[in-house]
Amino acid sequence: MELGRSKEDYLKTIFMLQKKEGDVYSVNIAQSMGVSKASVSVALKQLRGKGYVEQAQNGGLRLSPQGFSIALQIYERYDFFVKLLLQIGVPLEIARHDACLIEHDISEESYKKLKAVFL
């Protein structure tokens, strides 16, 4: 399922904010990603249209079961690469940035092989 880098980043951000703060709102996503509220609004409309994000009764956002599953896969890749890069001495901020780039571009086969070697 090809969402594209941007939508994957939105799902991962919602996942991480839910994990950290519980309730997630558009303003939290904008702050976390360093994007405008308008950009968040457009992305959320698309993600809601695909059934990945739902509006909670309190006005917050939450991942649908399908959105959660995709976000979890993306987050696990990200987390693996952050830890791997930290392990070899890359500074935290660089590791986070680079992990975000790698998580989108590496093939599933290469990712699985790296996990098998480094876990």
Side-chain angles (χ1 to χ4, degrees):
M1 172 174 340
E2 185 64 33
L3 280 175
R5 181 179 301 242
S6 174
K7 300 305 178 294
E8 287 180 354
D9 283 343
Y10 277 98
L11 290 176
K12 181 180 75 180
T13 298
I14 295 167
F15 176 85
M16 292 169 70
L17 289 169
Q18 268 185 289
K19 195 171 153 182
K20 182 179 174 186
E21 300 173 14
D23 294 331
V24 179
Y25 298 92
S26 296
V27 67
N28 306 113
I29 298 168
Q31 289 172 341
S32 180
M33 294 181 74
V35 298
S36 71
K37 288 186 251 178
S39 296
V40 173
S41 180
V42 169
L44 289 176
K45 182 177 180 183
Q46 293 170 350
L47 291 170
R48 275 196 295 270
K50 293 181 185 253
Y52 299 136
V53 176
E54 302 169 341
Q55 194 85 31
Q57 286 186 331
N58 67 359
L61 301 162
R62 66 173 174 231
L63 296 168
S64 68
Q66 184 182 15
F68 180 86
S69 176
I70 294 167
L72 180 60
Q73 290 173 355
I74 297 163
Y75 177 77
E76 285 175 345
R77 279 178 171 233
Y78 169 77
D79 188 56
F80 170 77
F81 287 113
V82 168
K83 288 176 180 172
L84 178 64
L85 293 168
L86 288 173
Q87 209 173 29
I88 61 172
V90 175
L92 179 60
E93 286 309 308
I94 294 172
R96 286 179 176 161
H97 176 264
D98 290 349
C100 190
L101 297 173
I102 296 167
E103 76 190 23
H104 299 291
D105 292 330
I106 192 166
S107 71
E108 185 64 23
E109 182 177 348
S110 294
Y111 170 63
K112 285 180 179 178
K113 299 266 186 197
L114 284 168
K115 270 182 63 174
V117 170
F118 290 101
L119 285 184

